[in-house]
Amino acid sequence: MDKSFSGVATYEYPDGRVYSGDFVNGMPHGKGQMTFPNQDIYDGEWIDGKMHGRGEYRRFNIEKDKYVERYIGEFVAGIIQGNGRIQFDNRMVYEGQWQNGKRTGIGTLWSSPCEYIHGLWKFNEIIRGVQHFENGDWYEGTFKNSKFHGFGRYFYSSGALFDGEFENGKPTKGVSITPDGVITTIGES
């Protein structure tokens, strides 16, 4: 591509990428679509040859012979950054804030219409929030390695409650209250 070209065109790069859209000074700039050699596709806004602004990125899996991720949202200098939504081929969906291509900030991850986690994320891990389960149970508190960890409350669909500390996903110290009001202390000696 001639570095002085500005306008609308389709160009195939030597590495196999194909870009169709706006160019400024020989670089993608404005709106356009890039198809990558691995069949990934980005369609959206560009600045100085980088994905920048709003766009849609679809990731192709050669072994599965299908697109396995679809992200719609914001990019900064070629990296997912800002607000966006990603849908995976297993139907899981995350919608929320991103930083440096990672779920970081406030967001929600749905694994089904009735099962989801909403809260504060850091580097793709939930650290504080609320998790709802299909059976009607829900947990509110802190997480570590995607498991209940630290202080939290687990509300059972039966009306029972555990309020206290969790470690590695299990209640370790606190108070359990049954639906009929029976209180049991757990982890105290």
Side-chain angles (χ1 to χ4, degrees):
M1 170 64 60
D2 180 354
K3 291 187 180 189
S4 66
F5 176 77
S6 293
V8 178
T10 297
Y11 180 74
E12 184 171 347
Y13 291 86
D15 64 7
R17 293 175 296 148
V18 177
Y19 176 79
S20 292
D22 300 328
F23 285 87
V24 173
N25 297 325
M27 291 194 302
H29 193 98
K31 293 200 184 240
Q33 179 176 308
M34 178 80 76
T35 302
F36 297 88
N38 64 0
Q39 299 182 44
D40 287 3
I41 297 173
Y42 172 76
D43 190 3
E45 298 173 335
W46 296 80
I47 291 182
D48 296 330
K50 294 186 178 174
M51 300 176 285
H52 193 95
R54 288 205 49 86
E56 176 181 344
Y57 193 97
R58 292 186 292 153
R59 189 172 68 83
F60 190 81
N61 182 301
I62 293 172
E63 284 116 28
K64 292 183 177 182
D65 194 33
K66 67 178 184 175
Y67 288 94
V68 294
E69 293 177 6
R70 179 179 180 225
Y71 171 82
I72 299 174
E74 298 171 333
F75 291 79
V76 174
I79 298 171
I80 293 174
Q81 179 94 8
N83 292 304
R85 176 184 174 100
I86 191 166
Q87 182 170 351
F88 302 94
D89 67 337
N90 63 3
R91 298 191 172 276
M92 288 183 75
V93 173
Y94 171 81
E95 185 168 3
Q97 297 173 324
W98 297 79
Q99 186 175 9
N100 292 322
K102 308 269 188 211
R103 295 183 301 260
T104 299
I106 302 298
T108 305
L109 177 68
W110 288 270
S111 52
S112 74
C114 299
E115 191 162 308
Y116 61 92
I117 302 173
H118 173 79
L120 180 62
W121 297 76
K122 185 174 183 182
F123 308 123
N124 286 338
E125 292 287 336
I126 183 76
I127 58 173
R128 178 160 187 76
V130 178
Q131 183 170 7
H132 289 262
F133 300 93
E134 286 192 53
N135 67 1
D137 292 0
W138 59 284
Y139 168 81
E140 173 183 43
T142 57
F143 294 79
K144 182 177 180 183
N145 298 324
S146 300
K147 294 181 180 178
F148 315 147
H149 195 87
F151 181 76
R153 292 184 178 108
Y154 194 99
F155 299 86
Y156 296 87
S157 60
S158 66
L161 160 72
F162 176 79
D163 186 358
E165 294 177 30
F166 290 79
E167 188 172 322
N168 205 22
K170 299 185 186 327
T172 57
K173 185 177 181 182
V175 176
S176 178
I177 304 171
T178 65
D180 55 359
V182 176
I183 300 172
T184 305
T185 301
I186 297 173
E188 300 273 330
S189 50

